[in-house]
Amino acid sequence: MDVRQLTPFLSVSPQMTAADVGLAASMGFKAIICNRPDQESHDQPANDEIRAAAERHGLIWHYQPVISGQITDEDVVRFREMMQTLHGPVLAFCRTGSRCSTLWALAEAPRLDVEAILKTTAAAGYDLTAQRDRIQGLATSPGQQGAGRAGGGSGKLHDVLIIGGGAAGQSVAGSLLRRQPGLDIAIVEPRSEHYYQPGWTLVGGGVFERAETMRRMVDVMPREVHWYQAAASAFTPEQRQVVLEDGEKIGYRILVVAPGLTLDWDAIPGLRETLGRNGVTSNYLFDLAPYTWELVQNTRKGRAIFTQPAMPIKCAGAPQKAMYLSCDHWNRKGWLNNLDVEFCTAGAALFGVADYVPALQEYVGKYGINVNFQNNLIKVDGDARTAVFRVTDGEGNTSEVEKTFDMLHVCPPQRAPKFISESPLADAAGWIDLNPETLQHARYGDIFGLGDAGNTPNAKTAAAVRKQAPVVAENVLLALKGEAPKAIYDGYGSCPLTVERGKIVLAEFGYGGKLQPSFPSWLVEGTRPSRFAWLLKEKMLPWIYWNAMLKGHEWMAGPEILAHRPADHEVGEACDFGGRKP
């Protein structure tokens, strides 16, 4: 069987037989379209036999006969409508595959430019230059404008379209370009600045200057990619398009979604109004991290509260890092005995991986911190300097407790961006629905995701992104060739828990809390405070981020490549993903 991919959603083939259907099923196709009339030639297999084989293998069958050389506009409309209703990947066949390719080219005319269409079909082995005028006519005819770019004009098509120009999006772009220079990549990113967010904890602790954590987006954006400085607003995966905020539609062969997450300040009444004043701060904002350090230097007595909401959040250790660095400063100044320090967390444990808790507990004792589990911040009155917590006891009973404060460091609730949670890409909780190993979308084979907006059960850290990006890059290139993903992400994440100025507990772990140390124990024992880990955090990691990670260098981050993609039952036995098989 000669399968030729036009897009990850649609492939075409010359005449199929009933025996070929099993091969198509094994390749992952979900539907078959027959564009060849039955009994067109004496040597043609019966369509009823092929249809029966498709039904036996659980593939959707569609019969849309088209007379060779006589494709009508009605045929094109019907094909387009059919493609919008099917779940891919889809395999269409006729005598040679040419009719199927032509139907696709004409159906895509309203949204893609002519050159992109002809380039795609030529790459599959079908020269449709004779159709150029007709494709152009369908792209500009009044009756077709509704399917094209809002405001008129043809859409753009890229081999790889990346949503998000943060750590995840740019790391993937860098890894792709290292593997295949010249690949047609576009990034959709509205911001003009790029931030090294892991540095904000050290800004709030007086170690870094805020300016060290920011660079102009234009200076870090790969020059080989096309940058759309705009926000994405919607996805139409059946048409393989992303709609930008101005209505422009961008087409793709492969989509990579890495928009980060949203800090939901408005989920806590009164919080937004008092941020940056009345002693209320957060290292989760570039503008506020310096205010944290200002408060730490000026708070010499009273109550300092550090909060952590329910998971998931990015960098689950960040709320504690802010607290430990603050306490270390107060301890060095001799002020700690005059301060009542509280850690109020909505969780039931100090840290999600038990191996690191003993070291953290030692510092809780050293600093005299009062840890309150299952205490969730629900309201702030900055002028009165009071915070209200919903407290859950051991029997599940809840009550509201009001506390006064002199300093309040808040980690806000976090969620996926609205344009993700309300899109077809989201799971029931609003996160991008991904296979936790291959990072391919659970329902759309031409979509991959990584970073904080994904639903994979790993820590949402820059270290996780550093490991995810090469996996996505490998699998994207395989998908562009019509092959199944083989690169595997093992859930690695790292959280350098800054317990004092000069020492860090280097937490490194994967799915299920399995420890995954990067260094030998004689160099650094990850479950204990380490000066080497501090050196890594303060000196090495920022340089690695700007000069290696974003540029596709994968030192100690190369992906695991399987010789074959495991069957669902093999993956299910190897990993526990909360009952969800990749």
Side-chain angles (χ1 to χ4, degrees):
M1 184 170 61
D2 182 13
V3 176
R4 307 181 190 185
Q5 187 183 62
L6 293 177
T7 74
F9 186 85
L10 177 67
S11 296
V12 299
S13 167
Q15 176 67 55
M16 290 180 62
T17 67
D20 291 332
V21 173
L23 291 175
S26 70
M27 295 170 69
F29 290 103
K30 304 301 183 186
I32 292 178
I33 300 174
C34 174
N35 292 132
R36 189 182 188 192
D38 206 6
Q39 300 180 346
E40 188 178 51
S41 68
H42 71 277
D43 59 348
Q44 179 182 353
N47 280 329
D48 284 345
E49 295 177 3
I50 304 173
R51 176 186 54 78
E55 292 173 352
R56 286 197 304 272
H57 285 87
L59 275 63
I60 302 298
W61 169 266
H62 280 280
Y63 179 54
Q64 185 197 358
V66 176
I67 299 174
S68 180
Q70 300 181 36
I71 298 176
T72 67
D73 288 348
E74 289 74 20
D75 292 331
V76 173
V77 171
R78 183 182 173 194
F79 186 86
R80 181 189 301 118
E81 292 174 348
M82 185 188 309
M83 295 297 292
Q84 292 174 354
T85 62
L86 292 175
H87 291 287
V90 176
L91 177 60
F93 75 91
C94 57
R95 183 167 188 168
T96 65
S98 180
R99 264 171 284 182
C100 306
S101 298
T102 303
L103 281 167
W104 173 82
L106 297 173
E108 295 295 285
R111 74 178 191 92
L112 301 179
D113 64 62
V114 175
E115 297 304 324
I117 292 173
L118 296 179
K119 176 183 174 182
T120 299
T121 55
Y126 299 101
D127 183 1
L128 301 187
T129 53
Q131 298 286 339
R132 180 187 296 274
D133 290 343
R134 187 176 181 189
I135 294 171
Q136 186 66 61
L138 287 173
T140 58
S141 62
Q144 299 292 338
Q145 287 301 313
R149 173 180 172 180
S154 59
K156 302 178 181 71
L157 173 69
H158 298 280
D159 288 333
V160 180
L161 180 62
I162 300 172
I163 305 303
Q170 291 206 28
S171 295
V172 168
S175 288
L176 284 167
L177 291 168
R178 285 277 170 182
R179 287 166 170 79
Q180 188 171 322
L183 184 65
D184 178 16
I185 302 174
I187 294 180
V188 175
E189 171 55 59
R191 293 178 302 177
S192 299
E193 298 81 24
H194 185 103
Y195 298 102
Y196 176 59
Q197 296 184 31
W200 293 347
T201 294
L202 296 183
V203 174
V207 181
F208 283 179
E209 293 296 325
R210 177 174 59 181
E212 297 176 64
T213 69
M214 182 190 74
R215 293 188 182 179
R216 294 191 310 163
M217 187 67 72
V218 69
D219 293 334
V220 297
M221 184 71 67
R223 300 195 183 280
E224 301 91 335
V225 310
H226 183 100
W227 175 22
Y228 294 94
Q229 190 172 3
S233 64
F235 301 91
T236 53
E238 288 77 13
Q239 288 80 46
R240 296 172 303 286
Q241 287 184 330
V242 172
V243 183
L244 304 185
E245 58 187 346
D246 62 356
E248 181 175 4
K249 297 177 181 178
I250 309 299
Y252 58 82
R253 294 179 63 199
I254 294 291
L255 177 66
V256 177
V257 189
L261 49 67
T262 295
L263 303 176
D264 196 358
W265 302 102
D266 295 320
I268 302 173
L271 176 57
R272 183 182 291 276
E273 294 83 353
T274 193
L275 280 171
R277 61 189 186 92
N278 297 322
V280 181
T281 189
S282 178
N283 286 345
Y284 278 79
L285 283 178
F286 173 78
D287 292 338
L288 284 187
Y291 183 54
T292 300
W293 178 231
E294 178 184 330
L295 289 174
V296 170
Q297 295 177 92
N298 294 330
T299 303
R300 306 187 180 189
K301 62 181 179 178
R303 175 183 284 168
I305 301 176
F306 297 80
T307 76
Q308 179 169 311
M311 294 295 175
I313 62 172
K314 58 181 174 180
C315 193
Q320 290 186 63
K321 297 178 195 180
M323 177 175 66
Y324 297 138
L325 276 176
S326 299
C327 286
D328 179 65
H329 179 78
W330 293 328
N331 189 45
R332 294 171 187 265
K333 291 292 186 179
W335 303 337
L336 191 57
N337 290 336
N338 298 323
L339 283 159
D340 175 17
V341 181
E342 293 191 21
F343 181 49
C344 296
T345 173
L350 196 57
F351 194 71
V353 181
D355 297 76
Y356 301 105
V357 171
L360 300 180
Q361 196 65 55
E362 291 176 15
Y363 277 89
V364 167
K366 174 183 177 179
Y367 297 136
I369 298 169
N370 181 21
V371 178
N372 300 302
F373 296 119
Q374 296 185 303
N375 277 232
N376 193 29
L377 179 66
I378 60 171
K379 186 178 180 181
V380 175
D381 186 335
D383 292 332
R385 298 211 175 202
T386 60
V388 179
F389 294 84
R390 179 177 293 112
V391 179
T392 304
D393 63 23
E395 298 179 354
N397 301 312
T398 61
S399 59
E400 293 187 3
V401 176
E402 183 178 279
K403 298 183 180 184
T404 60
F405 62 82
D406 294 276
M407 173 180 171
L408 177 66
H409 180 277
V410 178
C411 173
Q414 295 165 36
R415 56 177 174 79
K418 189 175 181 180
F419 78 97
I420 294 291
S421 61
E422 295 182 354
S423 78
L425 309 188
D427 66 6
W431 304 93
I432 306 170
D433 196 6
L434 300 176
N435 179 304
E437 285 197 319
T438 65
L439 302 178
Q440 187 179 37
H441 195 273
R443 299 185 300 281
Y444 302 102
D446 53 358
I447 298 177
F448 292 82
L450 74 160
D452 296 344
N455 68 350
T456 51
N458 57 274
K460 296 182 183 296
T461 66
V465 166
R466 184 167 177 262
K467 290 278 191 165
Q468 290 175 337
V471 171
V472 171
E474 285 282 348
N475 289 337
V476 163
L477 294 179
L478 287 169
L480 286 171
K481 295 186 291 184
E483 299 179 19
K486 294 180 182 178
I488 296 299
Y489 171 59
D490 59 9
Y492 175 87
S494 176
C495 185
L497 292 154
T498 312
V499 290
E500 63 176 278
R501 191 169 183 140
K503 285 189 178 181
I504 279 176
V505 175
L506 185 59
E508 297 180 282
F509 48 91
Y511 287 139
K514 179 182 178 181
L515 302 193
Q516 295 187 7
S518 298
F519 305 96
S521 58
W522 60 263
L523 181 60
V524 56
E525 173 53 61
T527 60
R528 301 299 307 163
S530 163
R531 293 194 181 278
F532 174 82
W534 174 269
L535 176 66
L536 184 71
K537 170 75 173 178
E538 181 189 18
K539 302 296 186 184
M540 298 172 64
L541 289 182
W543 188 92
I544 290 172
Y545 181 86
W546 295 115
N547 298 286
M549 178 174 161
L550 296 186
K551 299 181 184 300
H553 296 290
E554 297 166 8
W555 305 326
M556 301 176 67
E560 177 187 1
I561 308 295
L562 298 185
H564 73 286
R565 184 175 180 179
D568 281 351
H569 72 275
E570 293 177 296
V571 176
E573 292 168 358
C575 305
D576 177 14
F577 298 115
R580 177 181 175 273
K581 290 184 179 181

